[in-house]
Amino acid sequence: MAETAIAQWSYKGFDNAGKNVKGVLDAPSEAHALQQLRARGVTPVNLAAKAEATGLNREIHIEALERGPKLKDLAVMTRQLATMVGAGVSILRALAIVESQTDNRKLKATLVEVTAMVEGGAAFSDALEQFPLVVPPIMVHLIRAGETGGFLDRSLLMVADNFEAETKLRSKVKAALTYPIVVLFVALGAVAAMLIFIVPVFEKMFADLGGTLPAPTQVLVNLSHAMPIAGPIIVAGIVAFSIWWGRNKHTLAVRKVVDPLKLKVPVFGKLNHKIALTRFARNFSTMLASGVPILQSLSIVGETAGNQVITDALHGVQEQVRQGKPIGESLASEPVFPEMLVQMVGIGEESGAIDNMLDKAANFYDDEVETMSSQLTAMLEPLMIVFMGGLLGFMIVALYMPMFMIFQNIQNM
């Protein structure tokens, strides 16, 4: 759905208690602004579009560069909504209050339009579904289940808990990968600086002394000659690939190739597998606990597992469940699901507490991810130090080898 241009409106009026109020709000039109004020319980006396700033006072917004809401933003928003709805505040007024407190422009613009659609008679979940680039599908379906079952506040809390757990999981993985990535870039930067600035100085000195350069030194000299040409090409290639990857990493063709490799790559493969299992178990548990039907839940969690291998496997599981097979037996037919998870799901089916068993499985794999992340960090730190030291040590030795040869020749004279 195309985004509507958002303008700022200044207003003056009085609230339900008769107190004078004034402020500024964002809305795509005057009608939407009036809808927001009514939802907040404000009777406007004056409402006018705020004059657009010019020159250095103008706030510049480039839509393509604007950051979409993070899961943390959505978690905060849904928890605030749950608190207010649980306290008896109408969903319209709760949306207006949350919108006024939201800093992310894309989320704010979405909430403005969602509020207008809800006031026009649309269901909250149906309005959210119109913004798939901002609102994840699991959030839409959990809220829809809450609306249908009359427990919207609890479903909003489940969404918040789910997003907070996912944010925590991502933080663990980022913490494990930050150090080795930083060290790698520092090492590559140091190598590039030596090839561009230091090696040419030594090359000129070696040329004045005459003689044949040792093979390692000649390799550095050749790399130094290639850097002015190869360097910009490599940088341009990395930038071009980053842009292409950002636009195509979620396409089915790319995921079909990349996602299986994520599960097979040494060391990181097991970590990626456990991350995908954590997401599957937590999302499936949340959906079932919210009263979403099993087949619909399997379809949704397949799209939110973050790995196409899991998604494809769940399509097969969904088909088997549709034919009447138990979920545990259906999961067992897919090699990507480990025996422990299959047994826990089977026990949950037998006891009628499959959502609780899935939640325990999610917590177990979450702990496994944390343990593996800590072990990975502990293992990669010395390896990266050895790699960096070996690379820079090789360059230093290669640069000084001609000098050692010259000193040796002088001694032999």
Side-chain angles (χ1 to χ4, degrees), residues 237-266:
I238 293 174
V239 172
F241 176 78
S242 300
I243 295 174
W244 177 88
W245 179 254
R247 293 177 178 177
N248 296 277
K249 64 181 178 180
H250 295 303
T251 61
L252 183 60
V254 172
R255 292 186 63 187
K256 285 279 189 182
V257 175
V258 174
D259 285 359
L261 296 177
K262 287 182 179 179
L263 303 183
K264 295 177 181 178
V265 65

Side-chain angles (χ1 to χ4, degrees), residues 370-382:
E370 185 172 4
T371 301
M372 287 192 67
S373 299
S374 301
Q375 292 175 346
L376 192 62
T377 303
M379 180 181 68
L380 286 177
E381 284 184 8

Side-chain angles (χ1 to χ4, degrees), residues 134-150:
V134 177
V135 182
I138 188 173
M139 178 176 172
V140 173
H141 289 281
L142 287 175
I143 290 175
R144 180 169 292 146
E147 288 177 318
T148 304

Side-chain angles (χ1 to χ4, degrees), residues 300-324:
I300 296 168
V301 298
E303 300 301 325
T304 59
N307 192 284
Q308 191 62 36
V309 177
I310 301 286
T311 302
D312 293 340
L314 286 175
H315 287 161
V317 171
Q318 187 180 12
E319 186 60 34
Q320 294 183 55
V321 173
R322 185 178 285 111
Q323 295 172 3

Side-chain angles (χ1 to χ4, degrees), residues 280 284 293-302 314 317-318 321 327:
F280 159 71
F284 197 17
I294 289 178
L295 288 175
Q296 188 178 358
S297 298
L298 285 170
S299 176
I300 296 168
V301 298
L314 286 175
V317 171
Q318 187 180 12
V321 173
I327 302 176

